[in-house]
PDB file of all heavy atoms in Angstrom:
ATOM      1  N   SER E  33      10.367   5.407 -10.391  1.00 43.00           N
ATOM      2  CA  SER E  33      10.153   4.002 -10.554  1.00 43.00           C
ATOM      3  C   SER E  33       9.781   3.279  -9.255  1.00 43.00           C
ATOM      4  O   SER E  33       9.037   2.365  -9.242  1.00 43.00           O
ATOM      5  CB  SER E  33      11.385   3.310 -11.196  1.00 43.00           C
ATOM      6  OG  SER E  33      12.497   3.443 -10.337  1.00 43.00           O
ATOM      7  N   SER E  34      10.383   3.737  -8.114  1.00 47.00           N
ATOM      8  CA  SER E  34      10.060   3.095  -6.832  1.00 47.00           C
ATOM      9  C   SER E  34      10.296   4.041  -5.676  1.00 47.00           C
ATOM     10  O   SER E  34      11.146   3.811  -4.827  1.00 47.00           O
ATOM     11  CB  SER E  34      10.899   1.842  -6.650  1.00 47.00           C
ATOM     12  OG  SER E  34      12.274   2.155  -6.633  1.00 47.00           O
ATOM     13  N   PRO E  35       9.530   5.111  -5.621  1.00 60.00           N
ATOM     14  CA  PRO E  35       9.734   6.090  -4.519  1.00 60.00           C
ATOM     15  C   PRO E  35       9.415   5.559  -3.133  1.00 60.00           C
ATOM     16  O   PRO E  35       9.915   6.052  -2.146  1.00 60.00           O
ATOM     17  CB  PRO E  35       8.791   7.242  -4.885  1.00 60.00           C
ATOM     18  CG  PRO E  35       7.746   6.623  -5.719  1.00 60.00           C
ATOM     19  CD  PRO E  35       8.410   5.489  -6.435  1.00 60.00           C
ATOM     20  N   GLU E  36       8.609   4.519  -3.050  1.00 62.00           N
ATOM     21  CA  GLU E  36       8.189   3.977  -1.784  1.00 62.00           C
ATOM     22  C   GLU E  36       8.771   2.599  -1.512  1.00 62.00           C
ATOM     23  O   GLU E  36       8.213   1.809  -0.768  1.00 62.00           O
ATOM     24  CB  GLU E  36       6.683   3.941  -1.669  1.00 62.00           C
ATOM     25  CG  GLU E  36       5.963   5.295  -1.879  1.00 62.00           C
ATOM     26  CD  GLU E  36       6.415   6.350  -0.902  1.00 62.00           C
ATOM     27  OE1 GLU E  36       6.803   6.012   0.234  1.00 62.00           O
ATOM     28  OE2 GLU E  36       6.348   7.532  -1.249  1.00 62.00           O
ATOM     29  N   ALA E  37       9.859   2.271  -2.199  1.00 78.00           N
ATOM     30  CA  ALA E  37      10.438   0.937  -2.020  1.00 78.00           C
ATOM     31  C   ALA E  37      10.852   0.726  -0.551  1.00 78.00           C
ATOM     32  O   ALA E  37      11.509   1.595   0.034  1.00 78.00           O
ATOM     33  CB  ALA E  37      11.654   0.765  -2.893  1.00 78.00           C
ATOM     34  N   PRO E  38      10.417  -0.380   0.044  1.00 85.00           N
ATOM     35  CA  PRO E  38      10.782  -0.634   1.437  1.00 85.00           C
ATOM     36  C   PRO E  38      12.299  -0.903   1.520  1.00 85.00           C
ATOM     37  O   PRO E  38      12.889  -1.358   0.538  1.00 85.00           O
ATOM     38  CB  PRO E  38       9.983  -1.858   1.811  1.00 85.00           C
ATOM     39  CG  PRO E  38       9.679  -2.549   0.508  1.00 85.00           C
ATOM     40  CD  PRO E  38       9.603  -1.437  -0.526  1.00 85.00           C
ATOM     41  N   PRO E  39      12.935  -0.629   2.673  1.00 86.00           N
ATOM     42  CA  PRO E  39      14.352  -0.902   2.780  1.00 86.00           C
ATOM     43  C   PRO E  39      14.611  -2.402   2.632  1.00 86.00           C
ATOM     44  O   PRO E  39      13.812  -3.225   3.033  1.00 86.00           O
ATOM     45  CB  PRO E  39      14.733  -0.404   4.139  1.00 86.00           C
ATOM     46  CG  PRO E  39      13.461  -0.087   4.866  1.00 86.00           C
ATOM     47  CD  PRO E  39      12.350  -0.065   3.880  1.00 86.00           C
ATOM     48  N   SER E  40      15.766  -2.710   2.051  1.00 91.00           N
ATOM     49  CA  SER E  40      16.148  -4.126   1.903  1.00 91.00           C
ATOM     50  C   SER E  40      16.496  -4.701   3.293  1.00 91.00           C
ATOM     51  O   SER E  40      16.677  -3.958   4.285  1.00 91.00           O
ATOM     52  CB  SER E  40      17.367  -4.226   1.010  1.00 91.00           C
ATOM     53  OG  SER E  40      18.517  -3.632   1.627  1.00 91.00           O
ATOM     54  N   ALA E  41      16.612  -6.000   3.351  1.00 91.00           N
ATOM     55  CA  ALA E  41      16.984  -6.645   4.609  1.00 91.00           C
ATOM     56  C   ALA E  41      18.358  -6.177   5.077  1.00 91.00           C
ATOM     57  O   ALA E  41      18.590  -5.949   6.253  1.00 91.00           O
ATOM     58  CB  ALA E  41      16.981  -8.188   4.453  1.00 91.00           C
ATOM     59  N   GLY E  42      19.258  -5.976   4.102  1.00 93.00           N
ATOM     60  CA  GLY E  42      20.579  -5.465   4.421  1.00 93.00           C
ATOM     61  C   GLY E  42      20.544  -4.045   4.980  1.00 93.00           C
ATOM     62  O   GLY E  42      21.206  -3.743   5.959  1.00 93.00           O
ATOM     63  N   ASP E  43      19.710  -3.213   4.370  1.00 94.00           N
ATOM     64  CA  ASP E  43      19.562  -1.841   4.861  1.00 94.00           C
ATOM     65  C   ASP E  43      18.944  -1.846   6.286  1.00 94.00           C
ATOM     66  O   ASP E  43      19.364  -1.030   7.139  1.00 94.00           O
ATOM     67  CB  ASP E  43      18.683  -0.999   3.905  1.00 94.00           C
ATOM     68  CG  ASP E  43      19.454  -0.472   2.732  1.00 94.00           C
ATOM     69  OD1 ASP E  43      20.658  -0.782   2.586  1.00 94.00           O
ATOM     70  OD2 ASP E  43      18.860   0.303   1.958  1.00 94.00           O
ATOM     71  N   MET E  44      18.029  -2.750   6.525  1.00 95.00           N
ATOM     72  CA  MET E  44      17.437  -2.804   7.864  1.00 95.00           C
ATOM     73  C   MET E  44      18.513  -3.223   8.884  1.00 95.00           C
ATOM     74  O   MET E  44      18.495  -2.655  10.026  1.00 95.00           O
ATOM     75  CB  MET E  44      16.244  -3.752   7.856  1.00 95.00           C
ATOM     76  CG  MET E  44      15.072  -3.127   7.116  1.00 95.00           C
ATOM     77  SD  MET E  44      13.513  -4.088   6.900  1.00 95.00           S
ATOM     78  CE  MET E  44      13.576  -5.378   8.033  1.00 95.00           C
ATOM     79  N   LEU E  45      19.362  -4.122   8.573  1.00 95.00           N
ATOM     80  CA  LEU E  45      20.493  -4.498   9.446  1.00 95.00           C
ATOM     81  C   LEU E  45      21.371  -3.270   9.734  1.00 95.00           C
ATOM     82  O   LEU E  45      21.695  -2.982  10.852  1.00 95.00           O
ATOM     83  CB  LEU E  45      21.372  -5.564   8.779  1.00 95.00           C
ATOM     84  CG  LEU E  45      21.111  -6.998   9.038  1.00 95.00           C
ATOM     85  CD1 LEU E  45      22.051  -7.858   8.239  1.00 95.00           C
ATOM     86  CD2 LEU E  45      21.185  -7.365  10.501  1.00 95.00           C
TER      87      LEU E  45
END
Side-chain angles (χ1 to χ4, degrees):
S33 64
S34 61
E36 303 301 332
S40 68
D43 279 4
M44 288 177 17
L45 268 178

